[in-house]
Amino acid sequence: MCGIVGYAGKGEAALKVFSGLEQLEYRGYDSAGIAVSDGHKINIVKKCGRVRLLKARLNQLTGGVGIGHTRWATHGKPSDVNAHPHASGAVVVVHNGILENYSELKNSLSAAGARFVSETDSEVIAASINAAYSRGNCNFCAEPNLCDPSAPHALLRALHTSAQTFKGSYALMVMCEGFEGFAVARFKSPVIVGAGDDGFYCASDEPALAGSCSSVYALQDGEYALITPSGIRLYDCDLSPVERKFSPNRARSAAFDLCGNDRYMIKEICESPAAVKNTVSAFASAEGDIDGIRRADRFIFLGCGTAYHAALMGKIYLERFARATTEAEYAGEFRYKDPVLTPRSAVIAVTQSGETADTVEAAKLAKTLGARVIAVTNSPRSEITRVADAVVPVEAGTEICVAATKSYSGQLVALYMLAKRLAGESFSEICALPDALGKVIKSADICALADMCARASGVYFLGRNADYALALEGSLKMREVTYIAGGGYPAGELKHGTLALIDENTVSVFIITDGELASKSATAAEQVLSRGGKVAIVTCCKGIAAAFAGRAETVEIPDLGKYLTPVLAATVLQKLAYRTAVILGRDPDKPRHLAKSVTVE
Ligand code: AGP
């Protein structure tokens, strides 16, 4: 959450940083700001709201070195004053992360004379670095003359000195007046550096540098960088210079091209067949010892949000195919429950971004308890891949819309193939999926149902087994992009309480892709109808569609068997959420209060 970008080179830093921020906006869009050095002074523009609001003021920023930020608010409401960059004395900072001990540091800095104008933890970081910089405080420099604050490295040393006092997570870029460059630090929040044709860049993730840097290096926890118009210098945790290998930037600027679509959400739903196809092809190149977990006596699937719903499906696949003992848990719950794991446990961590704090920390915990960890991720160089023993790739490509769509389809097929492989079974049937998916995306007519949902006071999603996992995801998607209240429930649970919510203003969407359980879910749908609730059915079962004709909105999908049909149904639910959001005038790409990569707790 929060995106940061920095540039030092021959170009106009304001333009470079602005365009990087636009590409990072999915990490947060509460406010945005840019600081640029004109060689003497650092000028700052910042504003509550979207990055584009800065455009009219970019002419106030001239110079070749700058840093910028797009915010997902943690400490302090979205406002101009809480927007980054934050300045303290000569020092200007952008921060992604959370400074957990900010209150304690703020008190001691205030006692020493620092003044604060915002409610943010990040301003405390600026004040701390400014204090260290003003002192010329250098615990790590053997040569006293280098302790001159005007020497370039003084900024880096001040950052390093301050960082020793920080608790929490941070990706930081720091400028100071009189120095044409900026210093970078990272701990638990991602940051990459890259060289372009016209200068040197730094950003929260690869898509921000798509088109400007063909190769990048992701800083590791505790590493530092100093970026000037002459280059990038990297340092280890003791500020000793280090050399690192840069790798090709996999992000493509084409991901930002809407290609004639109104929104990224619909564009990315339409890219699901390619995501599935590419994930199937990439499975053979999975890195690490996947088969090593065959010996596990217990499998725990972890994830957050949509990735958790994919994890639930992974559990169903593995249980059915390998008859293994499996569980699925929210990563954020798992990490705080003192889990019982042994070296014979296997954890399968599912995460699109590979940076979700709860999932990464849960995976680290599992490792320290001796379990083997497999990551299923769409981000091959992300933090989760450094933690995991093996990585199963999802090849959905860059996903810009905050709501996960094509990455979910990719996760489902990656988990399907993983389960089949662990069960010693082939999975050639999956080859039929991309075409079928393409047809469903084109033909599924959800317009009447979306109209019905847009008028509803609540939309509920119901199903059994795999269809229940889908119901949870369908409901999350609907809530996330439309803000309509609702939930996902097991169809059999309806009569145990949820039925009380039903009235003529509610819509209950039943997902029925498992022929063996169809009549059970149909009974629950009848119970809703008989209480005056509106019903919709997404099904591959012809008999069910016929039985509810004229009484419920039905969306029919092809039958690819009970384990792959859910992938088809998922795209119908995604389209439904998208269409409903559009009817209601919401922005499905950037739902209120949300951000794509949740790198804080
Ligand atoms: C889904 O639409 C969400 N935006 C969200 O639930 C997301 O899936 C979750 O934050 C997990 O992200 P990850 O896959 O990057 O770990």
Side-chain angles (χ1 to χ4, degrees):
M1 356 216 35
C2 298
I4 57 176
V5 186
Y7 170 82
K10 295 191 202 101
E12 276 300 334
L15 298 177
K16 306 281 181 192
V17 172
F18 177 78
S19 107
L21 288 181
E22 282 198 305
Q23 301 197 336
L24 271 185
E25 204 175 21
Y26 60 89
R27 298 180 71 94
Y29 30 87
D30 287 331
S31 64
I34 300 177
V36 172
S37 165
D38 64 12
H40 307 283
K41 202 170 154 286
I42 298 172
N43 298 299
I44 298 176
V45 296
K46 54 184 187 172
K47 184 112 198 78
C48 186
R50 301 283 291 270
V51 171
R52 61 171 178 263
L53 300 179
L54 300 177
K55 196 165 189 175
R57 294 170 62 196
L58 293 183
N59 56 4
Q60 297 170 23
L61 304 172
T62 319
V65 175
I67 57 178
H69 187 273
T70 178
R71 179 173 187 239
W72 184 83
T74 59
H75 297 65
K77 61 181 184 301
S79 68
D80 288 354
V81 76
N82 287 334
H84 298 219
H86 289 288
S88 180
V91 168
V92 175
V93 166
V94 291
H95 170 219
N96 168 25
I98 288 187
L99 184 63
E100 287 168 6
N101 57 338
Y102 84 100
S103 177
E104 183 189 322
L105 292 177
K106 192 169 185 173
N107 288 342
S108 68
L109 288 159
S110 297
R115 290 288 163 262
F116 296 91
V117 293
S118 80
E119 304 158 277
T120 65
D121 53 337
S122 309
E123 192 184 11
V124 175
I125 292 177
S128 168
I129 299 169
N130 182 50
Y133 183 70
S134 318
R135 285 196 305 271
N137 186 352
C138 174
N139 297 339
F140 301 91
C141 175
E143 297 169 76
N145 61 331
L146 285 180
C147 291
D148 172 7
S150 64
H153 284 82
L155 175 63
L156 188 60
R157 293 195 302 274
L159 168 59
H160 182 272
T161 301
S162 282
Q164 314 309 308
T165 68
F166 299 159
K167 291 197 181 117
S169 57
Y170 52 81
L172 287 167
M173 294 184 202
V174 188
M175 296 173 74
C176 70
E177 285 184 353
F179 171 53
E180 283 298 283
F182 58 95
V184 184
R186 174 221 149 111
F187 189 69
K188 289 190 179 172
S189 293
V191 73
I192 59 167
V193 295
D197 292 340
D198 54 353
F200 301 92
Y201 293 78
C202 183
S204 295
D205 61 27
E206 294 183 27
L209 303 188
S212 24
C213 296
S214 53
S215 65
V216 294
Y217 171 69
L219 256 65
Q220 306 294 295
D221 274 351
E223 288 187 334
Y224 294 80
L226 196 68
I227 302 188
T228 66
S230 355
I232 300 171
R233 280 145 74 184
L234 299 170
Y235 301 86
D236 68 10
C237 59
D238 297 321
L239 287 194
S240 302
V242 286
E243 297 289 328
R244 296 286 184 245
K245 192 169 170 282
F246 282 53
S247 319
N249 185 355
R250 292 167 43 105
R252 297 281 164 267
S253 37
F256 294 93
D257 185 347
L258 278 164
C259 301
N261 293 284
D262 292 335
R263 302 282 181 186
Y264 288 114
M265 185 169 178
I266 191 64
K267 178 191 177 219
E268 289 168 359
I269 291 171
C270 294
E271 287 170 348
S272 297
V276 167
K277 203 171 178 181
N278 294 339
T279 301
V280 171
S281 314
F283 188 69
S285 64
E287 284 168 24
D289 178 17
I290 292 185
D291 296 315
I293 67 163
R294 276 211 171 119
R295 292 183 293 277
D297 60 7
R298 189 169 150 235
F299 297 84
I300 302 122
F301 292 81
L302 299 177
C304 298
T306 292
Y308 167 69
H309 300 150
L312 276 173
M313 202 69 90
K315 167 192 154 60
I316 291 169
Y317 289 151
L318 192 64
E319 212 164 58
R320 297 285 174 83
F321 302 155
R323 306 306 298 154
T325 305
T326 63
E327 293 152 51
E329 291 203 46
Y330 287 112
E333 286 295 301
F334 177 85
R335 62 184 284 211
Y336 291 119
K337 70 165 200 177
D338 194 9
V340 179
L341 292 178
T342 70
R344 296 206 58 203
S345 311
V347 161
I348 295 140
V350 186
T351 164
Q352 185 282 129
S353 63
E355 303 286 352
T356 297
D358 280 331
T359 310
V360 170
E361 292 306 316
K364 284 183 184 163
L365 173 66
K367 282 213 79 169
T368 59
L369 294 173
R372 291 182 70 80
V373 174
I374 291 196
V376 177
T377 185
N378 193 35
S379 306
R381 275 195 291 273
S382 58
E383 186 64 9
I384 198 75
T385 64
R386 289 188 273 276
V387 178
D389 298 296
V391 178
V392 176
V394 172
E395 288 286 339
T398 303
E399 195 174 61
I400 313 277
C401 176
V402 166
T405 55
K406 60 178 179 172
S407 66
Y408 177 65
S409 309
Q411 286 166 352
L412 294 186
V413 300
L415 289 164
Y416 180 89
M417 293 185 291
L418 175 63
K420 284 271 181 170
R421 172 138 155 200
L422 294 174
E425 291 177 21
S426 70
F427 43 81
S428 51
E429 67 282 7
I430 212 158
C431 297
L433 188 55
D435 274 358
L437 201 51
K439 285 184 188 137
V440 168
I441 292 168
K442 270 206 190 96
S443 63
D445 183 0
I446 42 73
C447 291
L449 178 51
D451 282 337
M452 197 158 123
C453 291
R455 289 193 303 270
S457 60
V459 180
Y460 305 101
F461 290 80
L462 301 112
R464 286 174 187 264
N465 290 358
D467 290 336
Y468 165 53
L470 275 181
L472 290 174
E473 175 56 12
S475 174
L476 175 64
K477 214 94 298 174
M478 181 64 82
R479 296 194 309 270
E480 181 177 22
V481 301
T482 68
Y483 322 150
I484 301 173
Y489 301 98
E493 277 294 300
L494 194 62
K495 55 192 175 294
H496 296 291
T498 306
L499 204 51
L501 291 170
I502 301 304
D503 64 20
E504 66 285 3
N505 298 316
T506 61
V507 176
S508 299
V509 182
F510 285 82
I511 302 130
I512 308 179
T513 66
D514 182 346
E516 288 166 32
L517 299 173
S519 62
K520 306 285 175 199
S521 295
T523 303
E526 294 288 1
Q527 290 163 3
V528 173
L529 280 173
S530 58
R531 278 149 185 92
K534 295 190 176 65
V535 166
I537 299 190
V538 178
T539 187
C540 60
C541 308
K542 295 253 176 291
I544 294 290
F548 284 90
R551 298 190 299 143
E553 278 300 330
T554 51
V555 181
E556 285 191 71
I557 52 176
D559 188 354
L560 287 190
K562 71 179 182 187
Y563 300 113
L564 290 181
T565 309
V567 187
L568 305 180
T571 53
V572 172
L573 302 179
Q574 292 165 356
K575 263 185 86 175
L576 174 62
Y578 169 74
R579 178 77 201 150
T580 310
V582 170
I583 293 171
L584 290 172
R586 312 286 191 225
D587 178 354
D589 289 346
K590 296 188 175 62
R592 67 183 181 197
H593 311 321
L594 300 181
K596 183 116 187 116
S597 297
V598 186
T599 54
V600 298
E601 274 196 67

